[in-house]
Amino acid sequence: MTVLCVRFRSASGADDLVLPELLGLLEEFTPVVEGLPPDAALADLRGAERYFGRDAVELAALIRVRALARYGVDCSVGAGPGPMLARMALRQARPGAVCAVPEGPGAGAEFLAGLPVVALPGVGAATARTLCEYGLDTLGRVAVAPPATLQRLVGVKIARELRERAGGVDRGRVVPNAVSRSVGAERSFGTDELDPARHRRALLADAEELGARLRRTELVCRSLTLTVRYADRSTTVRGRTLAEPTAHSADLTRAAYGMYEALGLQRARVRTLALRAEGLTPAGEAAHQLTFDPVDEKARRIEEVADLARAKFGPRAVMPGTLAA
């Protein structure tokens, strides 16, 4: 293992406030650190393993101890030979623990084999649904599927990348000081929340926050990920590729509502609803399909004016009536 994916969790929940200090802590072990706001980071430990004479799992334990002692922040850590596998391992890690992909030839594919296909980064709900309709519901089955079959289902390029990743081939790398490729927003409830109306209100607030942040930094996102955390600390993660790259809050809200409704939650005891905009690109490089719908054009113009008002009078100067109530 050479890469760690570390998620920081403070008791107060103010993870973004200590993230710069925690990135500095990782840089004590390696200069190759990539922040994943608001609460995670990737660290390439290839040089650190030789320098400290310890493997990645031992260094992860040391990082956890120092983060807890200095900042009162505990960590969950995933370790793997590359960024993708490290992230997948982090999803399997218990709170405050380290989960490592086993070493050896074929170990990555074996680690991924039993996971649902939707768990793979970059696989949205539509792609997962198409694969599951043909019995390719786990990454192990995708990895051994005939290339021609995958190409007919999802296209040549996606099929090649999907088969490689499902087989444990991780060609990614940690890019130090890279511009974040995602931004997130989350809303937590003080108690177990069962009311779907309040769930939707939290999703609306998340989408409005994401849209405002993207427009302020002149970025658009290609996909959206919904994370639902329940009272028993279990989580459900769903992703959706957007019809076109966007920073329009209404589009983000519709996608968030669609993923939420698809979960079919009934009397679920929800603690946190989080949205993450991924696949960020400069807004100037993205194409927008023009329509003859005056409602859409009017909504976008109102959004521009609302952004100007928020910039001058604060983030709560203009907001949807549901949130104002």
Side-chain angles (χ1 to χ4, degrees):
M1 271 88 52
T2 59
V3 176
L4 296 183
C5 187
V6 186
R7 174 173 290 127
F8 306 107
R9 286 294 179 190
S10 65
S12 65
D15 303 297
D16 345 355
L17 303 181
V18 295
L19 184 59
E21 288 82 359
L22 293 166
L23 294 179
L25 171 61
L26 292 177
E27 288 171 352
E28 295 177 9
F29 295 86
T30 172
V32 189
V33 175
E34 179 180 352
L36 303 174
D39 60 357
L42 289 167
D44 190 327
L45 299 179
R46 274 178 292 188
E49 289 178 316
R50 294 191 297 270
Y51 181 83
F52 290 99
R54 301 186 180 187
D55 61 25
V57 175
E58 293 173 327
L59 290 174
L62 184 56
I63 289 169
R64 284 193 58 233
V65 171
R66 291 192 181 182
L68 194 57
R70 295 182 186 178
Y71 308 107
V73 176
D74 203 356
C75 309
S76 298
V77 184
M84 182 200 74
L85 287 171
R87 290 188 188 208
M88 298 291 285
L90 176 63
R91 292 185 180 182
Q92 306 300 314
R94 300 190 309 276
V98 180
C99 178
V101 177
E103 296 186 75
E110 185 177 348
F111 176 80
L112 298 175
L115 298 179
V117 67
V118 75
L120 194 68
V123 176
T127 301
R129 184 165 55 249
T130 300
L131 294 171
C132 290
E133 288 175 354
Y134 288 85
L136 303 175
D137 55 348
T138 66
L139 295 179
R141 291 177 177 175
V142 171
V144 299
T149 300
L150 288 177
Q151 290 172 11
R152 284 197 301 271
L153 295 178
V154 297
V156 176
K157 181 180 178 181
I158 295 177
R160 182 175 64 252
E161 294 178 354
L162 183 61
R163 198 167 187 272
E164 279 190 351
R165 292 182 179 183
V169 178
D170 190 350
R171 301 186 187 279
R173 61 189 183 92
V174 181
V175 183
N177 302 322
V179 176
S180 174
R181 289 192 294 268
S182 68
V183 294
E186 72 174 44
R187 295 294 183 277
S188 298
F189 302 105
T191 57
D192 303 343
E193 185 54 65
L194 289 78
D195 185 1
R198 295 199 65 187
H199 296 168
R200 291 172 65 89
R201 193 176 304 135
L203 289 174
L204 174 60
D206 284 345
E208 286 286 330
E209 179 183 337
L210 281 182
R213 290 172 63 184
L214 289 171
R215 293 190 298 274
R216 187 167 60 247
T217 53
E218 298 184 352
L219 295 171
V220 293
C221 69
R222 298 180 180 275
S223 61
L224 198 64
T225 299
L226 167 66
T227 302
V228 184
R229 298 190 181 96
Y230 305 100
D232 62 357
R233 295 189 177 183
S234 63
T235 62
T236 299
V237 180
R238 291 292 184 270
R240 176 165 295 186
T241 301
L242 303 174
E244 65 180 19
T246 186
H248 187 32
S249 294
D251 292 341
L252 299 177
T253 302
R254 280 193 292 270
Y257 284 171
M259 288 186 286
Y260 173 79
E261 297 297 340
L263 292 176
L265 301 179
Q266 296 181 358
R267 306 292 294 173
R269 299 165 57 200
V270 175
R271 280 297 181 90
T272 302
L273 288 163
L275 288 179
R276 179 159 294 278
E278 300 179 320
L280 304 188
T281 56
E285 299 177 6
H288 168 55
Q289 177 64 51
L290 299 177
T291 70
F292 293 103
D293 182 4
V295 176
D296 179 72
E297 183 63 26
K298 182 179 179 180
R300 292 179 183 272
R301 290 185 177 181
I302 291 174
E303 193 171 64
E304 292 177 5
V305 176
D307 287 341
L308 293 174
R310 293 190 192 102
K312 185 173 183 179
F313 300 107
R316 296 183 60 83
V318 181
M319 65 179 67
T322 302
L323 300 182

